[in-house]
Amino acid sequence: MADILAAESLIGKELPDDVRVAYLLGDGEAEIDDEFLDVNGEPFSFNKPLIFSGFEFISIRQVVKEYLGYRELMDDWDLEDNINDWVDIVPVGTVKNYNFSPKWVPIAKDNASYIAVDYDPGPKGVKGQVILFGHD
């Protein structure tokens, strides 16, 4: 729980209870590294089910890294740079039309796309909704 509280302090947002529970049960999905080598020194062939339909559930430390990385990128953007006018948001009005918002906290990723908790939804959205954003 200490890592979750530290992460919330760094990003300035309290995670929804369901997300907290997910991190208490398992801090992201295991990455393949040297500890997962077979007796021949080859990586195991994992066919692990990804809980977010092809997106990797990232560790709480990775949440902070991804979030702060996007915040740093935004320092160089003009408001016009952040308007996402090439993707239709469905259902209309649920998510603000941005490339990234400092009120989106990524919890899963796949290349350059993320699943995130949205703390500032569109007029028809709900605070704490889970959204998809990115450049894939």
Side-chain angles (χ1 to χ4, degrees), residues 7 11 17 34-35 39 47-48 50 66 75 86 89 95-96 105 111 116 136:
I11 63 177
D17 289 342
D34 291 342
E35 72 180 90
V39 293
N47 290 320
K48 66 180 181 182
L50 299 172
E66 299 289 340
D75 290 343
W86 53 275
I89 295 174
V95 179
K96 292 188 176 174
V105 177
N111 298 322
D136 245 18

Side-chain angles (χ1 to χ4, degrees), residues 21-78:
V21 168
Y23 279 106
L24 288 171
L25 292 172
D27 187 16
E29 295 180 85
E31 296 180 19
I32 297 174
D33 59 22
D34 291 342
E35 72 180 90
F36 294 110
L37 298 180
D38 67 17
V39 293
N40 298 318
E42 298 293 323
F44 280 113
S45 176
F46 285 103
N47 290 320
K48 66 180 181 182
L50 299 172
I51 64 172
F52 290 109
S53 187
F55 285 75
E56 176 191 355
F57 177 43
I58 59 178
S59 72
I60 197 71
R61 290 174 188 232
Q62 190 68 25
V63 166
V64 172
K65 182 179 176 183
E66 299 289 340
Y67 178 82
L68 294 178
Y70 260 99
R71 288 295 305 259
E72 187 176 317
L73 279 175
M74 286 190 73
D75 290 343
D76 297 330
W77 292 351
D78 294 326

Side-chain angles (χ1 to χ4, degrees), residues 73-103:
L73 279 175
M74 286 190 73
D75 290 343
D76 297 330
W77 292 351
D78 294 326
L79 180 59
E80 290 178 14
D81 294 333
N82 197 29
I83 300 299
N84 183 345
D85 57 4
W86 53 275
V87 172
D88 293 328
I89 295 174
V90 178
V92 174
T94 55
V95 179
K96 292 188 176 174
N97 203 27
Y98 299 139
N99 288 310
F100 176 74
S101 168
K103 296 186 178 182

Side-chain angles (χ1 to χ4, degrees), residues 8-25:
E8 290 174 338
S9 176
L10 287 167
I11 63 177
K13 289 160 190 52
E14 187 175 300
L15 295 171
D17 289 342
D18 291 346
V19 175
R20 279 181 161 190
V21 168
Y23 279 106
L24 288 171
L25 292 172

